[in-house]
Amino acid sequence: MRRRDGKGHSIDRGNAVGFRFEGRAYLGFEGDTLASALLANGVRVVGRSFKYHRPRGVMTAGSEEPNALVEVRRDGAFHPNIRATLQELHRGLEARAQNCWPALRFDVMALNDWAAPFIGAGFYYKTFMWPRAFWERLYEPVIRRAAGLGRLPATPEAGVYEKAFAFCDLLVIGAGPTGLMAAMTAGRAGLRVILAEEDREPGGQLHTATGAIGGLPARDWAAGVLAELAALPNVRLMTRTTVTGAYDGGVFGALERVGQHVARPGDLPRECFWRITARRAILAAGALERPLAHPGNDRPGVMLLGAVAAYWHRWGVDPGRVVVFGNTDAAFETARALAGQGVQIAAYVDPRPEIGGTAPFEVRTGAEVVDTAGRFGLREVTIRQRSRVFRIEARTLALSGGWNPTLHLACHMNARPDWTPEIAAFVPRDGMVPGLAAAGAARGLFSTAACLASGRRAALEAAAELGVRAQAAPVPEAEDAPYRIAPLWEVKGHGRRGTRAWLDLANDVTTKDVALAAQEGYASVEHMKRYTTQGMAPDQGKSSNVAALAVLADVTGRGIPQTGTTTFRPPFVPVTIAAMGAGGRGWGFAPERRMTSDMATRAMGAPMIEAGLWFRPSYFPRAGETHWRQSCDREVAMVRNAVGVCDVSTLGKIDVQGPDAGRFLDFVYTGTMSTLKPGRVRYGLMLREDGHVLDDGTCARLSGERFLVTTTTAAAGPVMRHLDFVQQAFCADWKMRIASVTEHWAQFAVAGPQARAVLDQVLDARVDPGDPPFMGVHEVTVGGVVCRLFRISFSGELGYEIAVPAGYGAALFDRLVAAAADAGGGPYGMEALNVLRIEKGYLTHAEMDGRTTAFDLGLERMLATGKDFIGKAASRRPGLTGPERLQLVGIRGRDPAIEITAGAHLYAPDAPARADAGQGHVKSVCRSPTLDAWIGLALVRDGRARHGETLRLDDGLRGIRAEVELCDPVFFDLEGGRMRG
């Protein structure tokens, strides 16, 4: 560790840690990151750039790092694109460089750098167009092999990942001086606070600050605040946690690095992805230092000044002989502070004509860095000062072109920040994300005193908005120097050498590329981004975007505000798919969902079948029954003649509330729901935007502004997504909310002539035959528990559905089954349910298969003409109605002994079994014990006009042929008198 010097307050010098990089063994200290340990060992080249494969070294000390992306190997697996600046050192760590072959120092693809004049921005759009035959045989295979940073593992991810949820009054994002002050103020007021910090050590810029806060060294003040926060039971400090995105409803995504720094994690998850719901949030993420675009600014040894200070103070890394190139007073003060602590500053270079103060090193004003030398490590810096050129030997070039507020989260709902010329940066506005307020450096305030005051003010305002009176503690005294900057975006080259000034170091985008994009018509900042790939690398242009758009503004003659920013999207840092999908491996990919009656159902010997993600009973066998059909026929007869109980909890249930709830349901249903009276239920149909049927179900009005929508089991998720989309896309300002409550309620159908007798045994009060009326709902109680009783039927018999909070579901099922047994009935499963609904001609998604319209299903009268609804215009398109369409009909086998099958095709009796002769196909079938016949539902061309006609059913796969008669799809109780009681 030949480059160790300084104090290094983040490392334990008494605890050495061995690790390997590129197959070589090195030593670091406990507390090191991989980047700091490599720098301390004199390793300067850590990777290769994407396009030109140029040698690249560590540039930053945080998640904005564009160069030091490595592959980390662990337990036989490897993880690509890990930032060496965030990967903490642990024993046995093994890392390798990416994007190089056969070795880091000798990379064959570095030949691309020599060909750079021919492969500038957008060259592929022009080069790979001809000859056409070369695309599939040559161009695409070569491009695919060269594309991407890092390698994808060939085997499935075997590591442990976790997901978690958290709730708080106030989420503070960032634990620098602003965040610490905000969390302390809110915590003292009693608010539930989550303080999320990306680093393992809170403090932010205080780690490198040399001044005092409240009379204490900055780090000591931070330690005191952290101790107070740790003692407060209402404050949670989450280190190693990056807030990655801001979403609707005060929800924030956050990625916690849990076990990446542990040598033997065991069952400890590698990462945990958090979904944090916060009533209010404060963005205290600080600011990102930006480099200066000058020729040769990508060599190993060119770093940000703040990173040089961080590696010196926190990890004791000696940068060697340093040239500082900055354009702010803060850069000059940082250079003086480093020199005072023992760092060898060779020169300070500033483009401003004069700067205040003296320094123990050479100061060159009115000067710029115009070139560098040293392929695998910086050796020399070329400076131009008032037309004169100087060369200075240096090991490190520290750049500081000003600071950009870390405003990305504030832009995640598509709002754009404002340009503030005084600090030459974009600053977020209030209200860009509802409930989120920016404070401190994230708001463009760059002095410590201003950050502390801003953090306190933001916390007091959040508390007031939440109705909590917080005490305004005094703001401690701290550094309050004004921020002065002379904006500098690009330095022109010197002579024939050094013509490339780099912006996006990961993607090898230069200022010349941006100018070329504008020249070729890609003058929009979004078009420039895609033409050059500026800001599209893993760092998402955190350090380069503002400089790039400033260069674009200069080339196009527009101002920076008129040029604007690109769209910031989540996530703020890369998030592994394994973390976002934690628990989704194996059975967890499609989790088993079991009804509250599951244990009792299995105890009765019922075989379970999958229905969507749910497991439901197929049938309930009894002694002496040797075939499922025997059980099914018995259960159908039981419902028709006595009573049956069926668990229908799997039906989707969506709660819709608010003054505009009825108006919203009118818009998503083809019929009118706003005219429903409280306590009544109506059958409804939903269409997709293309006019095809999405789902059917019931809508109940529970009270004036509250409705309950039910869906089929399979469509519960799609319908919820559809409603959410419609609300956001078309009704965002309507006063209503929707929530899925499927799992909140256990629901049971009680069907058959003895249904009321069963309910009379179970409910606390007898059932009035007229209350609820058919298609009605009201509240009842069972053992004092409030339940909902619906009078609806999916069997065609007198039917009720009783819904109880899910915690009581198992007990209610047992009581219902016992009462049904006393009345000569019992439970029935999916097979009987299917027979009962086919006999009545009721639909499921076997018929609503995504290709059918309301006209096809005979439901065109449900399309209201006096209002608009989703899919209305599209449903009237030519070709979606008319006799050429396949229409729903019933089919009955001519010979009761011959089985008919679902999926079979229908032909005229003498027609060949060819596609051009097809008349339709069968959707659902059953053997009806009620009718003693094979019956089914089918889609047949012009079917409603062909009742009574005979067709040939042909199932070539199973070798079944039978004659069937087309008929009305309702086979049983056509008038519906039985279910109306």
Side-chain angles (χ1 to χ4, degrees), residues 181 185 188 456 460 469-475:
M181 193 69 187
T185 302
R188 288 175 176 176
R456 185 187 70 166
L460 292 173
R469 189 167 184 176
Q471 183 176 0
V475 177

Side-chain angles (χ1 to χ4, degrees), residues 294-348:
H294 63 80
N297 62 331
D298 70 325
R299 301 190 189 281
V302 179
M303 302 175 66
L304 293 179
L305 177 59
V308 172
Y311 287 115
W312 171 261
H313 286 282
R314 298 188 61 183
W315 297 288
V317 177
D318 181 6
R321 185 175 168 85
V322 181
V323 171
V324 178
F325 182 22
N327 61 342
T328 67
D329 287 356
F332 180 60
E333 291 303 322
T334 300
R336 289 206 303 179
L338 288 173
Q341 293 161 9
V343 176
Q344 185 182 4
I345 305 295
Y348 176 79

Side-chain angles (χ1 to χ4, degrees), residues 7 125 132 137 170 250 290 297 317 331 363 370 416 430 540 558 569 612 655 715 839 892 912 924:
K7 295 180 180 179
Y125 297 128
R132 291 177 62 90
R137 299 175 184 175
L170 180 65
R290 59 194 179 213
N297 62 331
V317 177
V363 177
V370 293
R416 302 300 173 108
D430 290 332
Q540 291 292 287
R558 300 177 306 216
R569 298 182 178 91
D655 207 324
E839 290 178 347
R892 183 193 298 258
S924 303

Side-chain angles (χ1 to χ4, degrees), residues 963-979:
E963 287 189 340
V964 296
E965 178 186 346
L966 305 187
C967 60
D968 192 286
V970 181
F971 297 91
F972 176 79
D973 189 25
L974 183 62
E975 300 301 324
R978 293 173 68 101
M979 65 182 179

Side-chain angles (χ1 to χ4, degrees), residues 692-703:
H692 291 77
V693 173
L694 171 65
D695 192 43
D696 70 342
T698 61
C699 177
R701 190 164 200 164
L702 303 179
S703 62

Side-chain angles (χ1 to χ4, degrees), residues 159-166 236 238 252-256 258 267-276 575-585 587-591:
V160 179
Y161 292 83
E162 188 56 271
K163 58 185 174 185
F165 299 82
R236 173 190 287 183
M238 298 179 65
F252 295 83
L255 182 68
E256 181 184 8
V258 182
D267 293 333
L268 197 66
R270 188 170 182 273
E271 294 174 335
C272 179
F273 188 75
W274 289 83
R275 292 159 179 84
I276 302 174
V575 178
T576 57
I577 298 297
M580 296 189 74
R585 182 188 296 116
W587 282 106
F589 181 74

